[in-house]
Amino acid sequence: MATYDLIIRNGNLVMVDSIVQGDIAIKEGKIKEVSIGKNIDATATREINAEGQHILPGLIDTHVHFNEPGRTEWEGIQTGSRSLAAGGVTTYFDMPLNSTPPTINKESLALKRACSEEKSIVNFRFWGGLVPENIENIKELDENGVIGFKAFMSPSGIIDFNHVDDMTIFKGMREIASVGSLLAVHAESTVICDQLALEKQRQNKTTAKDFVESRPIISEIEAVRRIITYAEATGCKLHIVHASSRKVVEVINEAKQRGLDITVETCPHYLSLTLKDLEEKGGLAKCCPPLRDEKEVEELWKAIANGEIDVIASDHSPAPAAMKEVMNEDFFSAWGGISGAQSTLNIMLTEGHFNRNLPLGKIVELTSTNPAKLFGLYPHKGIIAVDSDADLAIVNLNKSFELKKEDLFYRHQQSPYVGRTFKGQVTTTIVNGAVVFENGNITTKQRNPVRNQNLIT
């Protein structure tokens, strides 16, 4: 009789195209056996009875800002990775900015990797930055294992991570294409946003609505159209992050239909929060691009249902409470970034599955399988199958809960989702075969390093 490290029994296994009841046997960080409709005849060091619960491939959050090294007072890898584990996320991609130094060369990448190896309880990978001063570092960053490159077409808000002008981004895209990588882009027009903001501020119009109007959807569309043109000229693969409107997605899908290698991400806050939330919650709900109205939220859900969006990622961008305060009704003054890494799956289940009948398989596709395929981690990750990594989230769909401040594992226990009632609760998160979160508690001080060689190069 076989002996395993862990057997999960009687769970509902969620695949992209089906849900089946079965057992999963795990050894040395890998799924070694999947039995459908009958029990695995084996013993294990530990067994979990998942009867009545659903087992999903662990989420892959391709867009987080953990700000370490250098700005750990904003978040940090220890707290950030724990919050992800509590939300069923087993792998994250950390953005190059907000860290000091930013990840724009191999030395800064090594610093970030060392911090993550020491402190993260889930798997990790890193974005490299594309800034005006580091085009010559593209090749070395790629050789040292970055998952891709990130550039801002408008100011990032971080003084040591400059946005790119048109010449820089064109040259950078040529270099990125030459190494076979991809460019992720924050696409907002500097000209449109800066001029509209200046006009608003000159007229002392600084309310939440004024801030949103200063960063209109057309600003995203203009920037996306421009970067698509550069991609067509350079052959660079593109990934557009945090699209706030289906109108932006439509431009991207038109390019897809012409054969361009381009994908698009949206975020849970664009699927669940609106201008009204910004007005009510203040700086906690401020982000860039900003929240839109209820109609835009519904249109994004339609885009998801129609297969127009490739990836859902949190864009977790935390900051200390003082930086999120809106002073004297001036919404331009507060830091723009939403703390949401712990709540991605809760929002997708509540707003998507329960409120809009989105199939569970579609949620798996958007949050795990597609990211794994897009970034070369499939079939090690993003799927429940023999020989895939044992990265799993066990969820009780019958359990509802109100998110409370004290439930958050962030360094700063603040989020626009506090006070919301969610249906579907993560009960267990497994990373490389090790239980890292269970029944509301972190159960480990560091991740199981088994099989991380396919993530860290």
Side-chain angles (χ1 to χ4, degrees):
M1 181 179 291
T3 301
Y4 296 106
D5 298 326
L6 174 66
I7 296 177
I8 309 170
R9 297 196 183 275
N10 307 312
N12 298 303
L13 314 184
V14 183
M15 318 294 191
V16 168
D17 55 359
S18 64
I19 299 174
V20 294
Q21 188 176 40
D23 292 359
I24 300 172
I26 296 166
K27 189 169 186 177
E28 297 179 347
K30 303 284 285 184
I31 294 175
K32 294 297 185 179
E33 189 175 349
V34 178
S35 179
I36 307 303
K38 60 180 181 179
N39 290 336
I40 290 174
D41 185 17
T43 61
T45 303
R46 181 183 176 187
E47 294 195 5
I48 295 175
N49 183 6
E51 185 173 3
Q53 299 191 76
H54 287 72
I55 306 173
L56 285 63
L59 276 67
I60 301 172
D61 193 335
T62 59
H63 192 160
V64 303
H65 299 263
F66 285 166
N67 314 327
E68 189 171 355
R71 287 190 176 91
T72 52
E73 73 274 14
W74 289 25
E75 179 65 277
I77 292 163
Q78 184 176 37
T79 51
S81 67
R82 282 155 175 73
S83 67
L84 288 173
V89 180
T90 55
T91 302
Y92 68 86
F93 300 171
D94 198 12
M95 283 292 174
L97 72 161
N98 298 18
S99 303
T100 301
T103 313
I104 58 175
N105 54 43
K106 65 181 181 181
E107 291 80 15
S108 55
L109 175 61
L111 289 173
K112 185 177 282 285
R113 178 171 293 150
C115 292
S116 302
E117 289 280 6
E118 177 186 357
K119 299 177 182 179
S120 181
I121 67 167
V122 302
N123 298 311
F124 48 84
R125 200 78 186 253
F126 312 105
W127 290 97
L130 171 61
V131 293
E133 56 268 31
N134 85 322
I135 291 177
E136 67 276 10
N137 301 120
I138 295 298
K139 185 176 181 181
E140 71 175 31
L141 282 166
D142 180 70
E143 289 174 344
N144 281 273
V146 297
I147 200 73
F149 295 85
K150 170 70 179 294
F152 276 70
M153 298 178 73
S154 57
S156 70
I158 301 295
I159 60 173
D160 51 4
F161 195 91
N162 295 315
H163 72 288
V164 288
D165 57 29
D166 287 355
M167 186 65 71
T168 297
I169 203 165
F170 190 89
K171 291 180 178 179
M173 290 173 76
R174 277 185 166 169
E175 287 295 312
I176 292 167
S178 74
V179 299
S181 190
L182 76 136
L183 178 66
V185 182
H186 178 123
E188 288 184 286
S189 165
T190 301
V191 172
I192 293 174
C193 293
D194 282 0
Q195 290 303 308
L196 291 179
L198 185 61
E199 290 174 10
K200 292 284 189 182
Q201 291 170 308
R202 281 176 175 171
Q203 298 171 41
N204 292 319
K205 294 181 176 180
T206 60
T207 67
K209 186 172 184 290
D210 291 317
F211 169 73
V212 171
E213 289 176 348
S214 76
R215 304 183 85 99
I217 294 168
I218 192 63
S219 169
E220 292 181 70
I221 291 173
E222 188 280 329
V224 168
R225 284 176 173 161
R226 183 158 30 105
I227 201 68
I228 283 173
T229 301
Y230 297 161
E232 289 174 322
T234 62
C236 184
K237 183 177 180 179
L238 273 181
H239 183 59
I240 307 299
V241 299
H242 51 51
S244 73
S245 167
R246 192 182 186 185
K247 298 180 182 71
V248 178
V249 176
E250 287 170 348
V251 174
I252 294 164
N253 277 281
E254 288 171 3
K256 280 184 183 179
Q257 292 168 12
R258 297 199 303 271
L260 192 69
D261 197 345
I262 183 172
T263 48
V264 59
E265 156 203 300
T266 194
C267 307
H269 41 275
Y270 299 121
L271 297 167
S272 61
L273 301 173
T274 66
L275 169 58
K276 183 178 179 182
D277 291 290
L278 180 59
E279 292 170 334
E280 293 178 352
K281 299 177 183 295
L284 289 179
K286 181 184 174 181
C287 57
C288 298
L291 301 175
R292 307 300 181 185
D293 60 26
E294 291 85 352
K295 182 179 178 182
E296 294 293 342
V297 170
E298 292 307 319
E299 285 298 311
L300 276 177
W301 279 111
K302 290 178 183 177
I304 285 174
N306 289 341
E308 299 168 17
I309 291 172
D310 301 287
V311 173
I312 304 293
S314 71
D315 190 10
H316 178 67
S317 186
M323 293 179 64
K324 296 297 290 177
E325 290 183 11
V326 175
M327 306 300 292
N328 301 317
E329 288 296 310
D330 182 3
F331 275 80
F332 290 89
S333 65
W335 175 259
I338 285 179
S339 293
Q342 192 169 319
S343 300
T344 295
L345 184 55
N346 295 138
I347 291 164
M348 294 304 296
L349 289 172
T350 303
E351 296 293 338
H353 180 63
F354 288 107
N355 292 351
R356 294 173 177 85
N357 298 314
L358 188 71
L360 293 176
K362 187 67 177 178
I363 294 174
V364 165
E365 182 179 39
L366 291 163
T367 62
S368 187
T369 307
N370 279 0
K373 289 180 176 179
L374 176 59
F375 293 99
L377 305 182
Y378 189 88
H380 293 297
K381 299 191 182 295
I383 188 174
I384 298 174
V386 172
D387 292 331
S388 67
D389 293 345
D391 294 342
L392 303 165
I394 304 177
V395 182
N396 187 340
L397 293 183
N398 296 316
K399 192 167 185 179
S400 297
F401 69 99
E402 178 186 337
L403 182 66
K404 298 178 181 178
K405 181 179 178 180
E406 55 267 29
D407 297 330
L408 297 172
F409 286 88
Y410 309 141
R411 182 176 298 280
H412 304 284
Q413 292 177 304
Q414 57 188 14
S415 171
Y417 306 124
V418 169
R420 284 204 169 198
T421 297
F422 293 110
K423 187 171 183 181
Q425 187 168 39
V426 176
T427 60
T428 308
T429 302
I430 297 166
V431 178
N432 302 320
V435 175
V436 299
F437 173 82
E438 189 170 32
N439 298 323
N441 298 304
I442 299 298
T443 58
T444 184
K445 292 183 178 180
Q446 62 184 42
R447 81 195 191 289
N448 181 354
V450 173
R451 296 303 303 172
N452 267 302
Q453 60 265 34
N454 65 49
L455 281 179
I456 311 298
T457 57

